[in-house]
Amino acid sequence: MSKQSENSAAKASVKGIALMLICATCLALGQLIWKFYDVYGVVALLAGFAVYGFGALAMIFAYRYGELSVLQPLNSFSYVVSLALGAAVLHESVTAPKYAGVALILIGLILISGGKRS
Amino acid sequence: MNYILVVAMTGIAAFASFFLKKAANSGSIIMIIKNYRLWLGGMLYVISALINIWLLQKMPYSVVVPLGAICYVWTMLISRFLLGETITIRKIAGIVCILAGIVLLAV
């Protein structure tokens, strides 16, 4: 029984992973908002910081629910989000290498987070 | 010199998340706020971001961003040797995929 409770301190829980994905989204969103500094000025700076701060809170709470080596790399989901936001909002072009890059990152994220659950 | 700064930037960021992880596990929200590691981790993140901003003035964006991903390697080493976490083949494969993906994004 005690061996089982040792094993249940497993890699990461769904809660931790979800919180990290939220954090990564906030990273990308915050930077997108900062991009609009030339249009909205200080308001954009503050809004970006607020989003960043929310993401930081999500990350700190996420760290309660899993291993650092599983949760921290999930920050790279921000690259995926920033590509999508860049294409949708800023009309940045998505070239073939970028599609391949995003696919690789997603595969990597699935590999890392796909271990044992708690 | 710039590459020393890259190592510093990524290493400091990795240690920042190490301290945040330690703080996060220290108990209730009040205990987290009272834990010096929370504030140390936050400060280290800010320092890493400042180095990041400085490097972006000196080197191309398409170089700085992929190099920043080295932070994931440091974090894995820190989690193994300072937190006792197991490094599986799966995790290594995942990091390799992520690094390769980030390089492709910057191309």
Side-chain angles (χ1 to χ4, degrees):
Chain A
M1 234 10 203
S2 66
K3 227 183 206 174
Q4 200 161 24
S5 60
E6 266 178 44
N7 276 333
S8 76
K11 312 286 173 141
S13 72
V14 174
K15 199 190 278 188
I17 293 172
L19 282 167
M20 283 309 294
L21 295 181
I22 290 174
C23 166
T25 305
C26 286
L27 287 186
L29 198 55
Q31 290 183 68
L32 176 72
I33 293 173
W34 280 343
K35 202 84 162 106
F36 284 96
Y37 170 68
D38 50 358
V39 179
Y40 295 110
V42 175
V43 173
L45 277 188
L46 294 176
F49 271 118
V51 171
Y52 244 84
F54 184 76
L57 281 178
M59 180 171 75
I60 291 170
F61 278 107
Y63 281 171
R64 292 166 73 87
Y65 302 112
E67 290 187 334
L68 186 66
S69 50
V70 172
L71 294 177
Q72 204 263 359
L74 297 181
N75 271 319
S76 58
F77 185 64
S78 66
Y79 292 107
V80 178
V81 176
S82 67
L83 192 93
L85 286 178
V89 178
L90 301 171
H91 308 294
E92 290 177 352
S93 65
V94 185
T95 59
K98 291 202 161 92
Y99 274 116
V102 163
L104 271 173
I105 291 177
L106 284 172
I107 291 173
L109 288 170
I110 292 172
L111 278 171
I112 285 183
S113 58
K116 270 187 296 180
R117 291 271 179 272
S118 58
Chain B
M1 176 57 188
N2 282 340
Y3 289 98
I4 296 178
L5 281 176
V6 169
V7 172
M9 169 185 91
T10 51
I12 289 173
F15 272 104
S17 44
F18 164 72
F19 284 115
L20 289 179
K21 164 68 173 166
K22 292 288 254 185
N25 277 127
S26 62
S28 66
I29 295 183
I30 306 242
M31 291 178 66
I32 294 177
I33 295 177
K34 285 186 179 179
N35 193 328
Y36 77 91
R37 293 178 188 86
L38 178 73
W39 306 101
L40 177 59
M43 251 176 31
L44 289 177
Y45 253 132
V46 170
I47 292 173
S48 170
L50 289 175
I51 300 178
N52 199 334
I53 292 172
W54 197 91
L55 281 174
L56 282 169
Q57 317 306 314
K58 299 291 172 187
M59 290 167 28
Y61 174 88
S62 58
V63 171
V64 176
V65 171
L67 288 178
I70 292 174
C71 162
Y72 297 127
V73 177
W74 303 137
T75 304
M76 198 119 309
L77 290 172
I78 287 174
S79 69
R80 163 73 179 82
F81 291 110
L82 295 182
L83 292 169
E85 296 177 2
T86 324
I87 302 307
T88 62
I89 301 283
R90 225 185 141 109
K91 282 183 188 175
I92 295 178
I95 293 285
V96 169
C97 282
I98 289 177
L99 290 175
I102 289 176
V103 168
L104 275 176
L105 278 186
V107 153

